[in-house]
Amino acid sequence: MKMRNNDTALVVIDPQNDVLSERGISWALVGESVKQNNTVANIERLFIAAKEHGLGVFISPHYLYPADQAWRFGGPMEKLMLETREFFRPDPLSLDGLSGSGADWLQRYKPFIEDGKTVVVSPHKVWGPQTNDLVLQLRKCGISKSHSGRHVGKSLRRESLAGAA
């Protein structure tokens, strides 16, 4: 697969403490898998490769706010997220209390996300970016291809090796 930086982007969903940090609310549920798959380091490798190759980087964060506590229905995981206040922010318009919280970016990712070039789209509420503006943001930036981390990593590695030869 040949990637061009004018129409291809890396999309990272939920690069936040609650799922990627041992201090996170969901660590008991996902921690073993995160460690087994070396997820934190692999995401960092993708950030580095995408930035080195000039690919756009888009972040789809997961945030829940006090008003979401009034939801009248939801599946078991949605109810658990609300009960445990996973990805919780006290106010959608304020950053007070965000730094270091479960909703904050993993510290080692901040240089990549907060570089003034990465697009952070509106937050999603349930399981993915189907409920936010990710697709619109990608389209508006001329991105017609986004790939899973596995494919992006392999392609960038292949292109790096080819360039080194």
Side-chain angles (χ1 to χ4, degrees):
M1 168 178 59
K2 181 76 172 160
M3 288 193 281
R4 298 181 313 221
N5 61 3
N6 65 336
D7 69 352
T8 307
L10 171 65
V11 174
V12 181
I13 299 170
D14 301 345
Q16 294 159 278
N17 288 324
D18 270 344
V19 291
L20 295 174
S21 168
E22 292 181 11
R23 298 181 340 262
I25 285 174
S26 295
W27 192 254
L29 296 173
V30 300
E32 188 59 37
S33 175
V34 169
K35 286 192 290 188
Q36 219 171 35
N37 292 296
N38 204 22
T39 302
V40 172
N42 285 330
I43 291 172
E44 184 174 37
R45 287 177 43 223
L46 289 171
F47 275 130
I48 291 167
K51 296 294 183 174
E52 285 177 356
H53 289 274
L55 292 178
V57 176
F58 291 73
I59 305 296
S60 179
H62 196 147
Y63 294 131
L64 293 171
Y65 305 107
D68 298 326
Q69 297 292 327
W71 288 359
R72 294 180 182 216
F73 64 92
M77 290 306 293
E78 291 171 309
K79 290 178 183 176
L80 181 65
M81 287 188 326
L82 290 169
E83 287 169 11
T84 61
R85 297 167 62 106
E86 182 181 43
F87 302 117
F88 186 77
R89 287 184 53 189
D91 187 309
L93 300 178
S94 173
L95 296 178
D96 291 343
L98 177 63
S99 183
S101 73
D104 197 7
W105 315 128
L106 203 62
Q107 186 66 36
R108 68 196 280 175
Y109 298 161
K110 286 184 178 187
F112 306 109
I113 298 172
E114 297 175 358
D115 65 354
K117 297 176 184 166
T118 297
V119 177
V120 178
V121 304
S122 63
H124 58 270
K125 296 291 183 172
V126 190
W127 293 110
Q130 303 88 321
T131 58
N132 69 4
D133 68 342
L134 175 63
V135 171
L136 173 68
Q137 293 282 356
L138 289 167
R139 251 191 244 134
K140 293 287 189 176
C141 291
I143 303 299
S144 59
K145 293 181 228 144
S146 61
H147 302 279
S148 73
R150 179 178 58 239
H151 295 116
V152 171
K154 284 181 182 175
S155 293
L156 291 174
R157 194 167 44 252
R158 209 175 300 120
E159 287 182 22
S160 292
L161 291 172

